[in-house]
Amino acid sequence: MKAGFVQFEPLFGEVNKNIERAEMLIDGTDADLLVLPELFNTGYVFTAKGEVVDLSEEVPKGKTTQALCRMAKNNDVYIVAGIAEKSGDKYFNSAVIVSPQGYLGTYRKIHLFFEEKLWFNPGDGNFEVYDIGPYKFGVMICFDWIFPESMRVLSLKGAYVICHSANLVLPFCQDAMKTRCLENRVFAITANRTGTEARKGKSLTFTGKSQITGHTAEVLYQAAPDTDEVGIVDIDMTRAENKRLNEYNDIFEDRRTEFYKRLLQDLAE
Ligand code: ACM
């Protein structure tokens, strides 16, 4: 399966231009599955709730989801892309999932990072997996990576590849994804953005280096830190089927869940 990322620099508030740029990069590519960065249509550095209200869109009827459906159909590709979602009076940092046949679903970011907590409601859905041919892929967004539970749940639900839309500002994730992939024996596509967003005294620089990581911790492809780039790798999904390390160890079957109950308790309990 050919899977990859679209790395570029979204411009804050320029939804039409960002959609156009993504479409220009996607058109003519040869992939089965492509991942776009977190909040690819709006940019990241919000400075007031009104900006979130103005730029968020309903899913699937909003223009960004409709444009993604068009790109998926025209290029015969599944797409996972981060957008700002409006649902009633709630706002989510979401990823929409579309196929060549149309809209498939939405993931609402569960672990909000930094000032996202000022702008967005925490995700109220679960970590979900989606069918692509005989395989499944899972979806998570950026800071979800620091919670190993995110990829564990997706992997236990049968995902062989994790689609990871990101706007990374810390330098740790690309290395950490090697361990995340190894401990679940899955592939991951981290689609990061580039550039610096400076708005009203706030400034963040995004680290690029979008990465496709293999099930035995190998970096299959990494983009440059600062260029627009579509990176696609031919992944042998069957390799993620086998969770066996050797004749004695299967990393899923060997879990001792009776010793993990603390994981499901609140700190106060
Ligand atoms: C992040 O979650 N955007 C770091």
Side-chain angles (χ1 to χ4, degrees):
M1 192 179 82
K2 288 184 185 151
F5 57 78
V6 179
Q7 170 173 298
F8 74 112
E9 179 178 354
L11 305 172
F12 187 87
E14 303 276 3
V15 174
N16 290 338
K17 280 191 187 155
N18 294 332
I19 291 173
E20 255 172 51
R21 184 70 192 135
E23 189 156 21
M24 200 180 294
L25 287 164
I26 288 172
D27 274 351
T29 55
D30 177 18
D32 304 297
L33 175 63
L34 284 175
V35 186
L36 272 63
E38 178 182 14
L39 296 171
F40 94 91
N41 63 335
T42 58
Y44 186 82
V45 181
F46 290 94
T47 61
K49 185 78 182 188
E51 294 172 347
V52 183
V53 172
D54 288 347
L55 291 171
S56 297
E57 296 176 24
E58 288 178 21
V59 176
K61 80 173 193 202
K63 67 179 170 187
T64 302
T65 307
Q66 292 304 311
L68 289 165
C69 287
R70 179 179 69 232
M71 295 177 218
K73 185 165 183 243
N74 289 345
N75 294 283
D76 196 22
V77 64
Y78 283 64
I79 300 174
V80 175
I83 77 162
E85 182 197 358
K86 170 184 166 59
S87 175
D89 59 358
K90 291 193 173 156
Y91 297 87
F92 298 98
N93 180 341
S94 294
V96 294
I97 300 100
V98 301
S99 80
Q101 282 71 45
Y103 169 75
L104 278 182
T106 306
Y107 164 68
R108 294 171 168 168
K109 187 175 186 178
I110 286 176
H111 303 104
L112 296 176
F113 176 71
F114 192 52
E115 290 186 347
E116 290 169 31
K117 291 195 176 193
L118 303 177
W119 317 128
F120 295 108
N121 298 80
D124 55 1
N126 209 334
F127 291 107
E128 288 301 348
V129 296
Y130 298 86
D131 291 322
I132 183 164
Y135 306 114
K136 292 187 196 306
F137 64 88
V139 179
M140 66 179 196
I141 300 179
C142 209
F143 195 51
D144 285 330
W145 74 265
I146 212 165
F147 302 88
E149 295 86 351
S150 310
M151 263 178 77
R152 181 64 112 197
V153 167
L154 289 168
S155 303
L156 288 172
K157 285 187 168 187
Y160 287 179
V161 60
I162 308 301
C163 299
H164 182 207
S165 294
N167 275 190
L168 295 162
V169 292
L170 302 175
F172 310 114
C173 176
Q174 286 87 344
D175 277 342
M177 289 305 284
K178 297 186 217 168
T179 304
R180 292 285 169 275
C181 286
L182 179 68
E183 67 200 3
N184 294 294
R185 285 180 81 81
V186 296
F187 296 89
I189 303 160
T190 299
N192 195 16
R193 61 161 289 176
T194 60
T196 295
E197 255 181 35
R199 304 193 61 246
K200 299 195 180 155
K202 301 179 187 207
S203 177
L204 285 177
T205 296
F206 303 93
T207 56
K209 296 185 183 176
S210 294
Q211 180 170 292
I212 304 173
T213 315
H215 71 305
T216 52
E218 67 277 35
V219 174
L220 299 174
Y221 188 77
Q222 191 182 75
D226 51 7
T227 52
D228 288 7
E229 192 169 342
V230 181
I232 297 168
V233 164
D234 206 344
I235 287 176
D236 181 357
M237 293 279 269
T238 60
R239 293 184 175 267
E241 198 174 327
N242 183 4
K243 303 301 179 188
R244 193 157 277 284
L245 283 183
N246 57 47
E247 59 192 307
Y248 298 104
N249 294 114
D250 178 298
I251 55 161
F252 279 7
E253 284 175 10
D254 283 359
R255 288 174 309 122
R256 302 285 307 277
T257 54
E258 69 271 36
F259 296 108
Y260 306 158
K261 295 197 164 60
R262 191 74 184 84
L263 288 177
L264 296 178
Q265 287 172 284
D266 290 329
L267 283 181
E269 288 176 37

